[in-house]
Amino acid sequence: MIKFNLINQLRKVKRASKRRSIQLVISLSFTVVAILSMTFMAFAFYTNYINTARQSSIDYNEQVIDQISWNLNSYLRNMMGVSNSMYYKVIKNMDLTSDPIENMTKEMDLLYEANKDNLISVACISQDGALISAAPIATRKGGVDLTEQEWFLNTEERIENFHFSAPHVQNIFESSNYRYYWVVSLSRSVELNYMGHTRRGILLVDMNYSSIEQMFSKVNEQGMGYVYLIDSNGNIIFHPKQKAIYNGLAKENNIEAASYDDGNYMENFDGENRAVVVKTIGYTGWKIVSVVPMSDLAVEYNQLRVFMLIIITVTIFLILFGNLFISRIVTDPIRQLERSLTDIEGGIFDAEKIYIGGSHEIRHLGRTIKSLVVQMRNLMDEQVAEQKEKRKSELNALQAQINPHFLYNTLDSVVWMIEAEKYPEAISMITSLASLFRISLSKGSNIITIKDEITHAKNYLAIQKVRYKNKFEANIKVDPAIENCITIKLIIQPLIENAIYHAVGDLDDEGIIDVEAYEKDGDIYIEVRDNGMGIPPEVLENLLVEKTTSTGKGSGIGLWNINQRINLYFKEDYGLTITSELDEGTTATIRLPKLTYDEYMKGAEDEKK
Amino acid sequence: MLKRFCGLLLTLAIATSFVGCKKEALQERDRLSIKVGVTMYSEFDPFTEDIRHNIEDYLTEYGQKKDIDITTTVVYSGKNQLVQNDQVEDFIEKNYDVICVNIVDRTDATVIIEKAKSADIPIIFFNREVVEDDLNRFNKLYYVGAKPEESGQIQGEIVLSELKTRFADVDLNQDGVIQYVMLEGEAGHQDSIVRSRVSVETIVNGGVELERLGDEIANWDRQQAHTKLTALLQGYPRQIELVIANDDNMALGAVDALKQFGVQTMPMVVGVNGQQEAMEEISNGNIIGTALNDADAKGKIIAKMAIGIAVSGQVPKDIKLDQDKYYYVPYVKIDRNNVETYLK
Amino acid sequence: MRKNKLLIGFFLALLGLIIVEYYIYTNYSKLTRETIKISFVVSDDNLDRWDNMQYGAEAAASDNDCIVTFVNSPRDAGPEGELDVISRQFSEGADYVAVASGYYGKVRELVKAKSFASSVIFVKTGNVKSDYNNLMVDEYSLGRDLAQHIIDAKESYNLLLLGGSESANANLAIDGLKDALDKSDIEYELALSKDSAELVNNVYQLRYALRYDGVVALDSATIDMIASKKDYLLDAISVYAIDNRQESVYYLDSSLVDALAYEDDYSLGYITVEHFLDGKSLTRIAKGVPLYYIVDKESMYSEQMEKVLFPFVK
């Protein structure tokens, strides 16, 4: 299901990405790349810095630890030196039976005085726990069995070595002023000489614990974390919270730390991550452990972290806007250009609407498109005009055709008249025919005056009257005011022809054809009325449609032709309308603009321009 | 597609440049060539010189046998720990595979151990034993030596068996108590402390009453032993019945002094180590015995360990170590009866 | 025009962003944590007795950016004087105040009315069963345990429980002692002295009454008095003490005192400071931590007691 959704989602994204605009693509890709690289840089910088900082704090700790270890080491060696010189210079060659003990005590006092700050006491103890000599106090505390003390038991383990005890309260000498000393006992096995007999003994140097404590306290007061000291088994020798640890109030990882080799470690203790540096003191196996909780280090990094975050967000913001801005600058003209082209898509070739702006390339593009549109438009106009002319001439040519039947019939009538020696009639007929042709040709012009057109119609009627032996009557009435206005030639004659052929020609009664030309509302109307049987409506509908050329009789020039020609020459409001009522007659009305010839010529020139 | 690939490549390139290649260049060491550094506390100690000699000999021998090119460098620190520290540092800097240290101050091994540890170079301490806590600081520290208790005991036994046969001769003043002089090695040296104590305790536990006339530190030195004993002889010209020396060199010094002083009856002199000259004196009867501290075996073991560690990183399996660190060469008692077998 | 608007909007947004982030920056990037100041106000004429508590408090404060100060309010100043001292701590910038009051009840009421009441806890004084912030040694158990020790020692059968006017808290310890002793075959008498003259009298009584073979010193003044008159004391009389000063440890070491009920002020100080710093409840921190010890001469040098009785720093 989830997979399905995922696929759907992917598809959606894919589809959307197909529709993506240039701006989106540019700004998105720029932003993604910039953000990725920014984040990467920031991350790399941050981790690098953290590592360096962590390393330097570890280095610092190591330095601190080295310093302490050096101090502690020299302190311990100093104490070992005290023990050595006491043993080899004083005790070894002293016969305890003959030489006065004071000599030893005196030597001890000297040594004690020289190392007063670091020593609490020096004492020589015999194998059975008897105090032989001691400095500075030689009064032994009552009821204390020296053989039971920890250092006493340890010393005999490896006689060739020095032994360092755990810190403890010195419990050998009488204390005054309620004063008790914490000491670390440095003991060694010695040989005591009693008149040539050797006995074992112990030389005890009680080191002042506060010397060690001071070394560490000084360090612990400054810097992060703390430093503590353990022996090789992990027992705490010094810890800033020593007492709290013994009371169970604080915890320390000392036992674990005893197993660490020298070096630095990360450990998790009591739910806290800490950096630990360990260093072992020579000879004793004591370990100095420096602990810095990571949270302490983290405090320093917090600032950096926030700072990095700010830098990143600001930069991302800048990048985002910058990219949007740049892409907008780049793509805006393109988009405007694109939008302006939608009209052209719709077929409106308005060159003025095309956007030209933006960068050089886009301006160039805009200009090119514009010139293309202009050219295209010119071409189209030319083509339209050409077509119109072509049609005009076609239609005109069509109109100019004289029905051969008509010509034959007319000439046949003339021949008949001549045979019957009706010359005046023949002359009249030929004259009419001649006039008919003259107007038909009319020097090739298609526009003639109404007067001429009416004359043409009269001639035609005259001929037809002869042919139809006056079976119909024709009345022509023209408003003299419009006689000089123009009309397209050969538009009345076909209507009359139609009226004769289809309406009055076959009538049994006398047919009447009325031709009337008048002006109304600034336009010219020419009506051709007959009193024929009328045209059925279904036929009427098709009359003005192309190709319905009248069959049979007639000049073969359809009413459509007339209408078309008027339309072509003038506006479409003008043209031919036909109304008809069965058994009543038909009226064909031509509507023309009222124009004189000059006016028309001027208009036609204007149009051409 | 190509573009994408290029982009990926670029990112990777940047990434790697950031991460930074920290990998150390792998040092392909020529396995067939090893360097062994030896630093001796003093060049005037015949016994340690013996060991050094043996180490060199065995290294050469094993090297030829195993077809390994071994460079052995020996330096002397003139009884100065600071000089020795520098020498070890120098060995480490020059990438020695293993360093054998005859330490000057056995209580002050810190610097050497820390340096070796940080460079991860194994160290074989010998003859002068550092404390266990120090030896435990790094897993590539070893000690080859002998148990001083053993030598002290052997010394005691030699004296006891000698006394069994001729107590009366030895007990010059016929008081039933043996007056003795102790000639100790260095102050603080584990051998001198333990030998001195154990030898005396063994004799006392053997039922012989002892009286110490003097206890002098002669620093393993024949001349010093000579001087110290001469001084004692002036104090006790006829009383000294036994001289216990911590080593043969001092025993020889004692014999020198006794001869020079012209004592009427040679007191019993007992030493440790089994030096050739001392063995000659044993057969002459001037020294009653010694505990053979097998310098040959020590040298052999050290050489074997050094090669094993340098070549394969571990001690050869046929060398059994105590706690993976200690090798103790046993002492052998030498007295009149068996001295011939050891005389060269 | 549209472009300009966009630019202006952009810069405004940037400005807003920077302001917001500056705010975050200043708030979250403080390099040093605030230093917390904790004052201890103790009802005493000097601070000698409070060293241990001070060490404990300082140990807990170390590495935590915390400053601990100890101030004493002289006993003569009374509860009002103590309240003045407490108020002064707050006006001088203390964040928290721990009070070891000589007049618990009154001071408690006075503090309750103050605005800083929630930043004050009472240490070492008060009522063990009180639910109010207070940390103290379970005196009753201490008395009971000391009594048990006396019973187990089988040295004394006629006890004098001797006390001065000093501590009201001793009442609880006395109750504990009494309750435990009542169950044993040990006879005891309670003698609380109003002044030092009476106290001296009572000490002499120890010797001359010839009835007693043991005495329990209920407070510091009493054990000091006994110590000063130790020459008068019969050897047969065993001395037990409730005290937490170095002097008493010395008395114990020098065999004047047979057993000492020692209150561990170090832990009290430590727990108090940790409570202020961590916000953990006092009882939770103190859980499993003994706040008093019954020590005798045999155990005083044991590894455990050594660390309790003898301060590392001197």
Side-chain angles (χ1 to χ4, degrees), chain A residues 141 168-169 171 178 180 182 209 225 241-244 246-247 249-250 299 303 310 313-314 317-318 321 328, chain C residues 2 10 13-14 21 29 31 59 63 247 250 253 264 266-267 270-271 293 301 306-308 310-312:
Chain A
K141 196 192 265 184
H168 61 99
V169 176
N171 185 23
Y178 320 129
Y180 294 90
W182 279 89
Y209 179 74
K241 294 187 177 176
Q242 204 158 1
K243 208 165 166 176
Y246 279 108
N247 285 356
L249 282 165
V299 172
Q303 192 179 27
I310 288 172
T313 44
V314 168
F317 186 80
L318 280 173
F321 262 79
R328 170 152 287 171
Chain C
R2 205 171 128 256
F10 162 63
L14 188 66
E21 300 205 316
S29 61
L31 259 184
D63 271 329
E247 283 86 344
Y250 176 76
D253 194 23
D264 189 12
Y266 179 93
S267 294
Y270 190 96
I271 292 167
Y293 301 88
Y301 282 102
E306 214 171 46
K307 273 139 195 152
V308 174
F310 304 101
F312 284 102

Side-chain angles (χ1 to χ4, degrees), chain C residues 40-54:
Chain C
F40 280 74
V41 175
V42 299
S43 212
D44 205 340
D45 293 333
N46 55 55
L47 286 171
D48 294 350
R49 286 173 54 203
W50 303 90
D51 279 353
N52 261 334
M53 190 180 280
Q54 200 163 352

Side-chain angles (χ1 to χ4, degrees), chain A residues 347 369 599:
Chain A
I369 293 175
E599 277 168 350

Side-chain angles (χ1 to χ4, degrees), chain A residues 25-39:
Chain A
V25 170
I26 290 177
S27 53
L28 206 69
S29 50
F30 274 29
T31 310
V32 165
V33 167
I35 288 176
L36 274 181
S37 50
M38 264 306 294
T39 325

Side-chain angles (χ1 to χ4, degrees), chain A residues 40 44 77 80 88 92-93 156 158-161 188-191 193 195-198 200 232 261-262 279-285, chain B residues 14-15 18 105-108 110 114 117 129 131 133-134 137 180 184 187-188 190 193-194 196-197 200-201 209-212 215 217:
Chain A
F40 181 75
R77 296 201 65 75
M80 279 150 76
Y88 286 107
K92 204 166 173 68
N93 290 317
E156 289 301 308
R158 282 187 82 103
I159 54 166
E160 71 271 30
N161 289 347
R188 77 177 307 161
S189 177
V190 294
E191 284 191 348
N193 183 13
M195 292 269 290
H197 295 267
T198 52
R200 288 190 186 190
S232 52
D261 276 338
D262 288 10
K279 186 163 172 88
T280 310
I281 302 288
Y283 200 86
T284 55
Chain B
I14 293 166
F18 267 107
D105 183 351
R106 69 182 200 94
T107 64
D108 195 10
T110 309
E114 276 173 14
K117 191 175 176 182
E129 185 179 356
V131 289
D133 277 320
D134 278 341
R137 288 179 64 182
Y180 76 99
E184 285 197 40
Q190 86 280 356
I193 295 173
V194 178
S196 308
R197 176 169 294 182
V200 170
E201 280 177 1
E209 206 175 326
L210 286 180
E211 182 186 351
R212 189 169 82 181
D215 184 337
I217 291 173

Side-chain angles (χ1 to χ4, degrees), chain B residues 8-208:
Chain B
L8 196 74
L9 218 67
L10 193 74
T11 329
L12 271 177
I14 293 166
T16 45
S17 74
F18 267 107
V19 171
C21 203
K22 247 194 163 178
K23 221 184 254 175
E24 279 169 33
L26 208 66
Q27 281 186 341
E28 194 53 53
R29 198 187 285 150
D30 186 3
R31 288 292 178 197
L32 294 176
S33 163
I34 61 171
K35 290 197 278 188
V36 179
V38 181
T39 162
M40 307 296 298
Y41 90 104
S42 161
E43 54 189 308
F44 301 111
D45 183 332
F47 178 66
T48 53
E49 277 305 281
D50 236 12
I51 300 178
R52 192 237 357 147
H53 200 71
N54 286 322
I55 295 173
E56 284 186 284
D57 285 355
Y58 278 110
L59 280 174
T60 321
E61 188 189 323
Y62 289 132
Q64 278 164 359
K65 215 184 272 174
K66 295 184 179 173
D67 197 24
I68 301 170
D69 190 14
I70 298 176
T71 318
T72 312
T73 313
V74 178
V75 289
Y76 293 95
S77 43
K79 297 191 180 179
N80 186 334
Q81 188 59 53
L82 296 175
V83 172
Q84 194 167 48
N85 293 348
D86 289 346
Q87 289 168 343
V88 171
E89 193 174 358
D90 192 47
F91 282 143
I92 289 169
E93 272 170 16
K94 288 177 180 158
N95 272 324
Y96 272 67
D97 298 285
V98 59
I99 301 168
C100 305
V101 179
N102 181 219
I103 198 164
V104 176
D105 183 351
R106 69 182 200 94
T107 64
D108 195 10
T110 309
V111 179
I112 289 177
I113 290 171
E114 276 173 14
K115 278 175 183 157
K117 191 175 176 182
S118 62
D120 197 34
I121 289 174
I123 288 190
I124 302 171
F125 291 100
F126 63 95
N127 203 50
R128 298 164 76 86
E129 185 179 356
V130 297
V131 289
E132 204 176 330
D133 277 320
D134 278 341
L135 216 55
N136 282 335
R137 288 179 64 182
F138 176 37
N139 60 358
K140 289 182 182 169
L141 301 178
Y142 305 94
Y143 176 71
V144 175
K147 282 197 168 136
E149 295 85 355
E150 226 177 278
S151 59
Q153 196 169 352
I154 288 171
Q155 277 189 313
E157 282 164 6
I158 291 169
V159 171
L160 281 176
S161 64
E162 191 74 12
L163 284 175
K164 222 176 258 171
T165 52
R166 53 184 189 105
F167 189 93
D169 294 350
V170 175
D171 189 11
L172 293 175
N173 54 359
Q174 303 297 328
D175 60 352
V177 177
I178 302 296
Q179 278 74 27
Y180 76 99
V181 167
M182 178 70 72
L183 288 176
E184 285 197 40
E186 259 174 289
H189 192 292
Q190 86 280 356
D191 283 348
S192 51
I193 295 173
V194 178
R195 274 177 199 163
S196 308
R197 176 169 294 182
V198 175
S199 56
V200 170
E201 280 177 1
T202 311
I203 298 168
V204 171
N205 292 341
V208 175

